[in-house]
Amino acid sequence: MGLKIATWNLCLGLFHKKDYVRKLLNENEIDILNLQETELETGLDLKNLHIRGYVLESETNEKKIRVVTYIRNTITYTRRADLESPNLHLIILDIKNEDNLRVITLYRTFNPQDKTTARAFFRKQLEVIERATVKTTIFLGDLNLDENKRHKINYYQRQLFQDIEEIIGHHNYTQHVKNPTWQREINTVIKNSIIDHVYSTDSTKVESICLKDVIFGDHKLVLLSLEQNTKEKQRTISKRTWRCYNEDSLLEELKSVDWQTNIDSVQEMWNSYENEIVKIVDKLAPVEVSTNCINRATTSPFLRSKLNRRKYLLKKRSKGVLVDAEKDEIRNLTKQIRYSYYEDRRQHVRTRIKPGNNKSLWDAVRIAKDIEPVPLPDYVTRDGEIYTEKEVASAFSEYFDDKVTNLQSSTEKSGSVYNGKKCLNSCNKNFMTEDKVKECLNELKIKNCEGFDRIPLRILKSGAPILCRPLSILFHKIYETKQIPEQWKVAKVLPLHKKGNLHDVTNYRPISNLCSVSKIYEKLILKRLENIAQENNIDLTGIQQHGFKRKRSTTTASLTLQSLISRKMDENKFAAMASLDLSAAFDLVDLDLLSKRIRIMGLPDDIRDLLKIWLENRFYYVQANGVNSIMKQTNVGTVQGSILGPILYALFIKPLYDIEKITTFADDNYVVSWSTKKENALEILRKKLEKILKWLKDSGLKVNESKTELCIFHRNKNTEGQLTIEESPIVAKDEMNVLGMTFDSNLKWGPQVSRVIKGANKALQAIKMIRKFFNTNEIIQLLTSNFYSRLYYCSEVWHLPTLSPNLKQILLSASANALKLCYNKYDRSLSYIELHKQSQRALPVEVCAYKHSLLLYKVVREEQPKREWIGLNFQMINTRRQQFFETSNASNYKVGNNILINRLSSLNRKILLQDLNLPFESFKIKCKTMFLNQS
């Protein structure tokens, strides 16, 4: 079993709570319990505090013992008094297990007994932790520091968090406690905070953190469960092996096939094609049955011979017949085998990494640590009912089906709903030509996953030179007959765990694998829709929609919202913004309404017919633990996991833009109103929301009013308030999550800085775990693609040139802490700025200037955002002799520095006007040289 380690602040001392401590140990099966504020006098006989089955360890202190630890007597451990310092309220233990775990518990007091300041005392504690940190270390206890306020500028203890980063930051500890651990009622107001912390150097060892309510005291019991060391039950896994596959063999096999193109029926033609392709796939990449053991690669003959030789010599040694030369040979063989295993794992880790892909980063960590992916459990539960291993697939299938069915039954469409207006003219055109089919084949991604047809995308892309001709004939028949093979309408669904209990089906979401060739069908239709939009010079899905478009992203959507809100704040107005939450929006799209809306819009009949046969009468089944559920039919939704799904949803929602001005990214919707009076702004917003909600409900979509959020923005006045929508009160929050960013009510961006640093540090923790497999230059590349990409996520919105000095310092500190990973021995005498220069890494202020130079180009050349382009034309200084870009800052108040064109004044006299006429890539290179010192 894995270890259970807990920490608890007793508040009133151990003598008063010994019996309750015994109860906690037994009820929760705790292996190591760390207690703070035990309040025991030095020299006291501790025998009366012993608990059966546990050993008691107390801190070394001359005056009062405030920290003790109970350790189960079956655990082998060593007390590291040599690393501790007396009177510092900490205990260090080495636990003898597979990982050689070190556990450090401490208590940070407000009133140090040595009469030093609280900060100086805490720094002494941190310096001990810094010296004691090893590969696998956990330190925990009551730090009396609120984690929720770590990056708040006005938090009076913020300097202590800076001390943590300065002294032990290079060890990349992860803080695991996310919810309040302390709660007290003060003057009828309930206050809570996260002051009990749990830090670890290897987060992969942490299985779970849970908080337990206790009868006595203000603190909760924080219980940490470490991963189990016992081996999991082996399961059989069927998987294709691609060891012997190569493209030349595939093309030879495809050439030998007689592709029958004279078949009249679309279904029969595809049956013939599918049968031939699957035969070839099974021949070149056969399905093998294996177990979920850790060995990931077949042992090479060279390594096998070394292992066998070493095994033989070890047997001789056990019999005492080994000569000296053979002893040396054993040592050499051991070194060679270890190096071989290291190289094998190194190659696995290196090939797994994909720049900017957080999942691939943690996949590489799992390979480096020999951690198997968590399989689906042997049983699952739903509403208290247990489903055994063979019933798991059916349980997931019923849950996914009931979820959509229940949502659909709770909605009611209206025949009078507004369905849009005509905005384009287009005629039927056979777009399923051989050239287009070839283009779509070449655009496919090289993936080994397969759907119901058992044909991986890799086969289609690699075999495009041969498959192009027969597939183009097939698609021509599809266009003429408006029929598609039935197999293409079947989706294989895999459950993916989101969070929480692994055995609860409600903690999973469905991932659909569609048939490979059906993706070409979708791509052909998508390209036709893009051509129609280009021919009519319109935006098919509306300019308010920022999702699934070229040159549009979460950045452009949030920049639009930020620009609007900051302008109103600079006019000394209140701006109220609401975010609407839709439940399973893509899955609830009514197909009849969708067809009606794209007809009214003006899309041609052939597109509507091809979409109709693709969307209607679809089937899906769930695959889990090697078992398939029965197929279920669905006649609603835009097909989860499909290429066309996003644009079809966007077309379905487009008529809403004629009713109200909103900003959307996919199914995330944001509505803004403003006024000089807060009450008026809220009333205007309420009326807008009522119209929007009515249209959404009349369209058959499910709005979750309980998750609708509200935030009121103003430069300095009170931003509390609420509005009522359909008898549901919505209370304004101090901040709002907008597309992965945090907008605070004053647009000072402190919470957002805290958010990006937390996200980036998670990636940093993963990079640290695979550090030894990469050289310094490669580590810098990993940091750039996986750490800094998160640190500067959407920085065009929040990373202002006029950001407060405190926030700039926090960003600089976070950036520097990542660079420490590039050095085995970090020189502490280096300043953060010197460290950046030594690592040839741009400072945050330099990144800010570079990002704003690109924004300038987009505003000037692409006229996006449109409102900023208009404003820049008024504020930009432009004379006959003007050579450099220059604009004025027209802000009325400090918050006006959020407005993009006011921010661009930070680039005054730095960029030549003629450079703005360069192609974007050329301009980008020039700005890198100018601001980032990169050629």
Side-chain angles (χ1 to χ4, degrees), residues 620-637:
Y620 72 89
Y621 67 95
V622 175
Q623 187 177 87
N625 293 335
V627 179
N628 296 335
S629 70
I630 62 172
M631 284 195 182
K632 290 187 177 290
Q633 186 175 6
T634 178
N635 272 297
V636 66

Side-chain angles (χ1 to χ4, degrees), residues 388-422:
T388 61
E389 186 170 8
K390 292 184 178 180
E391 299 171 325
V392 167
S394 297
F396 280 115
S397 177
E398 292 171 9
Y399 167 65
F400 295 147
D401 183 59
D402 290 347
K403 183 179 179 180
V404 175
T405 302
N406 293 337
L407 286 172
Q408 190 178 9
S409 63
S410 66
T411 62
E412 187 174 347
K413 300 185 296 296
S414 171
S416 61
V417 65
Y418 174 70
N419 291 310
K421 58 187 177 183
K422 187 169 184 177

Side-chain angles (χ1 to χ4, degrees), residues 566-627:
S566 57
R567 282 184 182 279
K568 301 310 171 186
M569 292 173 71
D570 194 47
E571 295 170 4
N572 204 25
K573 294 180 179 179
F574 287 92
M577 178 164 70
S579 65
L580 295 177
D581 181 79
L582 300 179
S583 301
F586 284 37
D587 296 328
L588 291 181
V589 169
D590 183 85
L591 300 184
D592 292 333
L593 270 181
L594 174 63
S595 179
K596 185 176 183 178
R597 287 173 183 176
I598 61 177
R599 176 182 59 79
I600 292 173
M601 181 185 295
L603 287 176
D605 295 338
D606 58 352
I607 291 288
R608 296 205 308 275
D609 293 340
L610 291 169
L611 287 174
K612 183 176 181 179
I613 61 172
W614 162 251
L615 293 171
E616 291 182 348
N617 299 317
R618 294 192 64 87
F619 296 85
Y620 72 89
Y621 67 95
V622 175
Q623 187 177 87
N625 293 335
V627 179

Side-chain angles (χ1 to χ4, degrees), residues 114 230 379 384-385 390 413 462 595 695 770 925 934:
D114 60 1
T230 55
Y379 72 91
E385 185 176 354
K390 292 184 178 180
K413 300 185 296 296
S462 301
S595 179
W695 185 89
I770 56 177
I925 293 171
Q934 296 179 12

Side-chain angles (χ1 to χ4, degrees), residues 313-580:
L313 293 174
L314 289 174
K315 282 184 179 180
K316 285 185 67 176
R317 187 176 70 177
S318 65
K319 296 176 182 178
V321 293
L322 207 64
V323 297
D324 291 341
E326 289 175 327
K327 292 180 181 178
D328 293 336
E329 186 179 358
I330 288 177
R331 284 193 291 270
N332 291 330
L333 284 171
T334 302
K335 289 180 181 179
Q336 292 174 21
I337 291 168
R338 284 179 179 173
Y339 181 76
S340 180
Y341 278 128
Y342 167 79
E343 276 296 308
D344 178 63
R345 187 165 300 170
R346 179 174 177 270
Q347 290 303 318
H348 270 85
V349 170
R350 292 170 66 85
T351 55
R352 192 69 184 180
I353 292 289
K354 296 177 183 176
N357 187 316
N358 193 47
K359 182 181 181 299
S360 74
L361 187 63
W362 284 103
D363 285 345
V365 170
R366 282 189 282 270
I367 293 171
K369 297 288 182 180
D370 268 343
I371 301 170
E372 284 295 309
V374 178
L376 287 174
D378 295 332
Y379 72 91
V380 294
T381 62
R382 183 186 178 196
D383 298 330
E385 185 176 354
I386 298 176
Y387 297 81
T388 61
E389 186 170 8
K390 292 184 178 180
E391 299 171 325
V392 167
S394 297
F396 280 115
S397 177
E398 292 171 9
Y399 167 65
F400 295 147
D401 183 59
D402 290 347
K403 183 179 179 180
V404 175
T405 302
N406 293 337
L407 286 172
Q408 190 178 9
S409 63
S410 66
T411 62
E412 187 174 347
K413 300 185 296 296
S414 171
S416 61
V417 65
Y418 174 70
N419 291 310
K421 58 187 177 183
K422 187 169 184 177
C423 58
L424 58 88
N425 291 294
S426 187
C427 301
N428 293 347
K429 178 183 178 181
N430 187 350
F431 52 90
M432 294 185 172
T433 62
E434 186 171 346
D435 290 340
K436 290 294 183 181
V437 171
K438 187 174 183 179
E439 183 181 337
C440 291
L441 281 169
N442 291 328
E443 289 178 358
L444 291 175
K445 296 179 180 179
I446 299 179
K447 289 186 175 181
N448 295 334
C449 59
E450 54 192 61
F452 180 65
D453 58 358
R454 297 183 58 237
I455 301 175
L457 286 175
R458 174 190 292 274
I459 299 297
L460 297 181
K461 185 174 180 68
S462 301
I466 308 298
L467 293 174
C468 178
R469 178 61 182 166
L471 287 179
S472 63
I473 295 173
L474 172 68
F475 280 110
H476 178 75
K477 287 186 180 295
I478 289 173
Y479 182 84
E480 293 295 328
T481 62
K482 301 299 185 292
Q483 295 177 350
I484 62 172
E486 290 301 316
Q487 298 96 308
W488 294 6
K489 292 188 175 187
V490 181
K492 179 176 74 173
V493 175
L494 305 176
L496 180 67
H497 182 248
K498 296 183 293 185
K499 60 180 179 179
N501 186 354
L502 281 169
H503 296 281
D504 190 347
V505 295
T506 60
N507 291 328
Y508 289 77
R509 65 183 178 91
I511 298 295
S512 293
N513 282 344
L514 306 180
C515 292
S516 300
V517 182
S518 70
K519 293 183 181 294
I520 303 172
Y521 178 84
E522 292 186 80
K523 277 182 171 290
L524 289 167
I525 296 177
L526 181 62
K527 286 182 178 294
R528 176 58 179 152
L529 290 173
E530 291 173 348
N531 289 337
I532 290 173
Q534 189 175 5
E535 290 168 1
N536 288 267
N537 193 28
I538 66 164
D539 188 331
L540 271 183
T541 57
I543 59 173
Q544 292 97 325
Q545 175 63 261
H546 291 257
F548 325 113
K549 293 181 180 179
R550 293 188 182 93
K551 298 182 180 180
R552 294 293 184 94
S553 64
T554 54
T555 299
T556 60
S558 50
L559 197 61
T560 299
L561 291 169
Q562 186 247 31
S563 177
L564 175 61
I565 293 170
S566 57
R567 282 184 182 279
K568 301 310 171 186
M569 292 173 71
D570 194 47
E571 295 170 4
N572 204 25
K573 294 180 179 179
F574 287 92
M577 178 164 70
S579 65
L580 295 177

Side-chain angles (χ1 to χ4, degrees), residues 19 65 68 191 237 305 327 387 428 523 535 593 619 625 639 684 709 714 728 759 800 803 821 909 919:
D19 291 337
I65 298 171
V68 304
K191 304 282 187 178
I237 300 172
S305 66
K327 292 180 181 178
Y387 297 81
N428 293 347
K523 277 182 171 290
E535 290 168 1
L593 270 181
F619 296 85
N625 293 335
V639 186
I684 294 169
E709 293 188 349
H714 194 274
S728 298
L800 283 62
L803 204 64
L821 196 63
R909 305 198 62 77

Side-chain angles (χ1 to χ4, degrees), residues 681-697:
L682 288 172
E683 179 62 19
I684 294 169
L685 182 62
R686 185 188 65 79
K687 291 179 180 178
K688 285 185 176 184
L689 288 175
E690 283 184 349
K691 287 196 288 184
I692 293 169
L693 292 175
K694 183 179 186 307
W695 185 89
L696 290 171
K697 291 180 178 180

